[in-house]
Amino acid sequence: MAHKLAQENPNITADVVEATEFPALTQRYNVMAVPKTVINESKEFTGAYPEDRFVDEILQAIQ
Amino acid sequence: MALISDKDRNLLKSRFDKDLVNDVKLIYFTQSESPLPARSQECATCRETRELLEEIAALSDKIKLEIHDFYAESAMATKLGVDKIPALVISGPRGDRVRFYGIPSGYEFSTLIEDIIDVSKGTSGVSQKNAERLAKIDRPIHIQVFVTPT
């Protein structure tokens, strides 16, 4: 989902991060369940959000 | 021993033949595979990820794999915003902002294949309404999605 959104605007970059290979980062964001999404190193949510809601989260993150 | 089975290889090849439009670059950052790693930290999945990407790239002329040494080519990595390895940047007509960090195995493998196709087509499948909402964004958005190998 995030990768699809990144295609829509040059300002958006999307990383898929395999948690077991990057334990420091996983700890930093307290990843307990996946998928966990972090927007601009601050806004977080867990679970696979549908497209509308994912976009809502992005817009809220930059308000 | 191949990572992708012959059957899957054939399926992928026909998928790519049918769906790929533009060339797609797979820009892969890894560490040199000498017996002594460049730094004290070893990248456990770098070699296997490279092998997987080589097998994928072999399935279509439109998929171009570039392998870069993260430490020797750190300027390029920095320019692309790559800060850890293994790192794959999928680059196509609409840019290079789709990344995978870590080996794309299990469920992420099919995500990778879909991403290669989307980037090649220059499409995203995002709804018109959401495409419009996203197009208005005028500042950097960095999304990180943490997953586990299934």
Side-chain angles (χ1 to χ4, degrees):
Chain A
M1 175 57 59
H3 279 172
K4 293 182 183 291
L5 304 180
Q7 289 258 78
E8 290 298 329
N9 186 320
N11 288 305
I12 304 174
T13 302
D15 304 342
V16 167
V17 182
E18 204 284 279
T20 62
E21 290 170 61
F22 302 102
L25 208 49
T26 301
Q27 270 177 46
R28 179 176 161 190
Y29 293 113
N30 202 27
V31 178
M32 305 285 232
V34 293
K36 179 159 189 180
T37 303
V38 180
I39 300 174
N40 285 353
E41 288 75 27
S42 56
K43 195 171 209 325
E44 308 178 2
F45 56 89
T46 299
Y49 278 22
E51 190 184 290
D52 285 356
R53 198 153 165 222
F54 205 127
V55 177
D56 288 346
E57 294 288 330
I58 293 174
L59 296 175
Q60 278 171 35
I62 53 174
Q63 242 151 40
Chain B
M1 190 186 111
L3 294 166
I4 305 175
S5 71
D6 284 348
K7 174 167 154 260
D8 286 342
R9 202 189 296 267
N10 288 328
L11 283 170
L12 279 174
K13 187 166 187 331
S14 9
R15 186 93 205 277
F16 286 148
D17 286 346
K18 181 162 86 65
D19 289 337
L20 291 181
V21 175
N22 299 297
D23 283 0
V24 172
K25 254 200 285 189
L26 302 183
I27 304 173
Y28 177 56
F29 287 92
T30 181
Q31 67 184 37
S32 64
E33 289 168 19
S34 60
L36 298 169
R39 297 285 164 90
S40 58
Q41 182 180 11
E42 195 183 324
C43 172
T45 54
C46 272
R47 180 187 294 271
E48 196 178 339
T49 303
R50 176 186 58 75
E51 289 170 359
L52 184 63
L53 295 177
E54 284 175 348
E55 287 186 27
I56 292 172
L59 298 174
S60 170
D61 289 342
K62 292 187 176 164
I63 302 175
K64 319 276 186 199
L65 175 63
E66 286 179 13
I67 300 173
H68 297 275
D69 184 320
F70 178 69
Y71 298 107
E73 301 177 63
S74 58
M76 184 185 180
T78 305
K79 184 154 168 272
L80 284 170
V82 166
D83 59 357
K84 47 194 180 285
I85 56 174
L88 170 64
V89 177
I90 305 177
S91 177
R94 288 177 86 171
D96 51 19
R97 302 173 312 280
V98 169
R99 292 97 196 280
F100 283 85
Y101 286 108
I103 186 164
S105 60
Y107 180 73
E108 295 317 309
F109 182 78
S110 61
T111 304
L112 170 60
I113 301 304
E114 293 312 313
D115 283 352
I116 289 173
I117 293 172
D118 279 347
V119 169
S120 168
K121 283 178 168 171
T123 58
S124 65
V126 170
S127 73
Q128 180 65 28
K129 176 186 93 178
N130 284 323
E132 283 168 16
R133 291 166 82 200
L134 291 168
K136 294 190 187 132
I137 294 172
D138 60 357
R139 65 198 89 168
I141 303 283
H142 180 212
I143 306 173
Q144 296 176 88
V145 182
F146 290 87
V147 299
T148 49
T150 43

